[in-house]
Amino acid sequence: RSKDKAVQSTGGSKILVSTIPMDFYAGQNPVIKFRTVEKTVGNYVAPVKVKPPVPKAAGMAENAVGLLSNRKFLIFGSVGLFAIFLGGTGIYYWWLSGRGQIASKPPVTKVTPSVVPPSVVAVPTSTAPAETAVSMPPTTTTTTTLASLSGGLIEFPSILLGDSADMDRDGLTDVEEELFGTDPGKPDTDGDSYNDGTEIFYLYSPTDFAPARLIATPYVKEFLNPVYKYKLYYPSSWAVGNVDPDYRDMLFSTLSGENIEVRVFDRKPEEAFEDWFTANATGEKLGSLSDFTTVFGGSGKMRSDKLVYYFSDKEHFYVIVYHVTNSTEVNYRAVIGMMARSFRNSSESNAVLPNLEMVIPTSTVVTSSVR
């Protein structure tokens, strides 16, 4: 190894001179010694690569991609979202219904005929005989039209309708018992040995001892059509109205919406009932009709369920038909029977109510009930 020495020059300045160790002078061969350094070599461990931290937003995106690729997560997630949607929809509509903003069922459109003032059709029940009727003059009325009424095709009731409850099984439903003032728990209210339904059928009073007349009670009035001059009995508590201005189509309506319609059709010269029936009674079968006789001796046809009646004279055909609302039960089958049994066309309008011996044929009492 060289050494640096400072040598004084003759000029007085120092000069830096590099020399070799003394051991190397004069051809000496010095011994060189090397130091021993112990070094421990262990098993090699590969360096661990540390993943650099991922920003939070990027990590969430990677997790989202992983979940979206998971099939189970997609299935259960879809089911959960659908359940939440249904629940929210149900709660929303429940809330609306509670506030009265929606209705559970759409309202039923009913015909509101022009109602004739009671003073026009009132009949004094104390003295008015059966053959006396008060006409309804065609004064100012408001006409209400309906597709199935006022010149349209006849709307027929279903043949499958049954009667509402009849607790005492006397041929009058419990609703009709109230209409005629009879006892719904007693088949013979007046105790004259004739049940209430039979007396209504023969136009006798079920609340007074026979032979009291039904028209003499406060429960029934007689209607006279001012244009076509036919007559019939109807419940005094029902509303009477004309659907068209010329009284060709009349409605006798209850407060519940059920009504009985009486329509008049012009008859062509020599036109047979069968031909008229085929052209006008759409969907009806002629074979379902049977002969029918009124209390006044008039003749007509009756459908097997006693909810449709047909009459005729030289100039017109008459149809009496029952209309229910949205129910499958009939409350007033005996009422339409009373109206048909009391019907008289213009040529029979002066007929006098005869004294009849009441018989109970099985065809006159309806006790079946469909639930």
Side-chain angles (χ1 to χ4, degrees), residues 190-194 199 204-213 356 358:
D190 56 13
D192 60 0
S193 74
Y194 299 104
E199 294 195 82
Y204 286 104
S205 170
T207 56
D208 300 294
F209 202 81
R213 299 294 189 178
L356 299 176
M358 287 185 285

Side-chain angles (χ1 to χ4, degrees), residues 39-95:
K39 184 178 182 181
T40 303
V41 180
N43 294 330
Y44 176 78
V45 179
V48 178
K49 293 183 179 180
V50 179
K51 190 174 182 180
V54 180
K56 186 175 181 180
M60 293 176 63
E62 290 180 4
N63 292 335
V65 173
L67 289 175
L68 291 176
S69 63
N70 189 303
R71 185 177 180 182
K72 290 184 178 180
F73 173 79
L74 290 177
I75 294 174
F76 286 107
S78 300
V79 173
L81 289 175
F82 183 71
I84 293 172
F85 172 80
L86 288 182
T89 303
I91 293 173
Y92 174 75
Y93 281 99
W94 172 81
W95 178 76

Side-chain angles (χ1 to χ4, degrees), residues 346-369:
S346 59
S347 63
E348 302 167 339
S349 60
N350 295 325
V352 178
L353 183 64
N355 292 321
L356 299 176
E357 180 181 355
M358 287 185 285
V359 184
I360 309 178
T362 55
S363 61
T364 63
V365 180
V366 180
T367 59
S368 63
S369 179

